[in-house]
Amino acid sequence: MNHKPKPVHLSVYNTLADWETGHATAHLARAGYPIRTAGPTRDPVTSIGGLRIQPDLALDDVRPEDSSLLILPGADLWDTSDDLAPFARKAREFLDAGVPVAAICGATAGLAREGLLDDGDHTSAVSFYLAATGYKGGDRYVDADAVTDGNLVTAGPTEPVAFAREIFRLLGVYEGELLDAWYRLFHDSDAEAYAVLQGAAE
């Protein structure tokens, strides 16, 4: 890249699902994207795996114009309280400003409750999980590992690699043969894909 990209903002909150965003953030960081964590406040949060995270920013201080992407991981709190509703509202702010949002697992239900999945193609864990939110977008549900519609990426909890793939495609981090090779390596353990990636690096 000829210019330093704007940061990617990773939402962090208590009970967040550790495994869902690691592929995306690791390779975005390698591609030159600064990763900034945003919590409900700047107080530490604890992931579902017991990792203690000190947020870089409070959510209120995150602005779409300063960001390349907002990532929303799953968390138990998406389904047990309204504590994370401000993150869904922030996603609306990003999408309204034309800045991408990527949501996985329980975060997709948060977006559904916010009305952000009513009019575009999307996916999640299973269709009836989103249907339970009472949202109006059931006819746009796609039974796929991950879905991109415009500036919005959605994925289910078992698809962190496909989730990352869609993010890379959207931001232009990997494209075409390289994107396919990255996915085949990390999703399918395809040794031939490693050779493609190594060749590109050289």
Side-chain angles (χ1 to χ4, degrees):
M1 291 187 180
N2 296 324
H3 65 285
K4 188 175 178 66
K6 294 178 181 179
V8 166
H9 288 91
L10 172 65
S11 304
V12 296
Y13 20 71
N14 287 323
T15 73
L16 79 87
D18 318 67
W19 65 90
E20 293 176 343
T21 61
H23 288 284
T25 55
H27 291 273
L28 288 170
R30 282 187 166 184
Y33 286 85
I35 307 298
R36 299 287 178 263
T37 52
T41 66
R42 291 201 63 206
D43 292 337
V45 299
T46 304
S47 75
I48 200 168
L51 299 181
R52 187 175 183 272
I53 302 166
Q54 176 69 60
D56 297 313
L57 297 163
L59 182 66
D60 286 348
D61 296 327
V62 176
R63 304 187 308 167
E65 58 265 34
D66 299 330
S67 186
S68 292
L69 171 73
L70 177 67
I71 300 178
L72 300 168
D76 291 345
L77 285 178
W78 283 112
D79 297 319
T80 59
S81 74
D82 293 327
D83 289 359
L84 301 186
F87 286 88
R89 291 194 290 271
K90 183 63 70 171
R92 178 181 292 281
E93 185 182 329
F94 265 62
L95 293 171
D96 286 349
V99 181
V101 171
I104 185 169
C105 189
T108 60
L111 297 192
R113 293 185 192 98
E114 181 64 18
L116 295 175
L117 303 185
D118 288 349
D119 301 312
D121 292 344
H122 59 274
T123 194
S124 183
V126 287
S127 59
F128 55 81
Y129 170 63
L130 291 187
T133 68
Y135 85 131
K136 301 174 182 175
D139 61 335
R140 300 296 296 271
Y141 186 90
V142 180
D143 189 11
D145 52 10
V147 171
T148 300
D149 190 306
N151 278 326
L152 180 60
V153 174
T154 51
T158 61
E159 299 296 342
V161 179
F163 183 60
R165 177 196 63 202
E166 294 305 300
I167 290 171
F168 301 155
R169 192 200 317 271
L170 189 58
L171 295 183
V173 173
Y174 298 122
E175 297 176 313
E177 183 184 24
L178 279 182
L179 182 65
D180 177 65
W182 183 90
Y183 182 76
R184 287 189 289 114
L185 177 62
F186 286 95
H187 189 266
D188 303 326
S189 301
D190 184 343
E192 292 182 5
Y194 180 77
V196 176
L197 292 173
Q198 280 298 100
E202 294 167 1

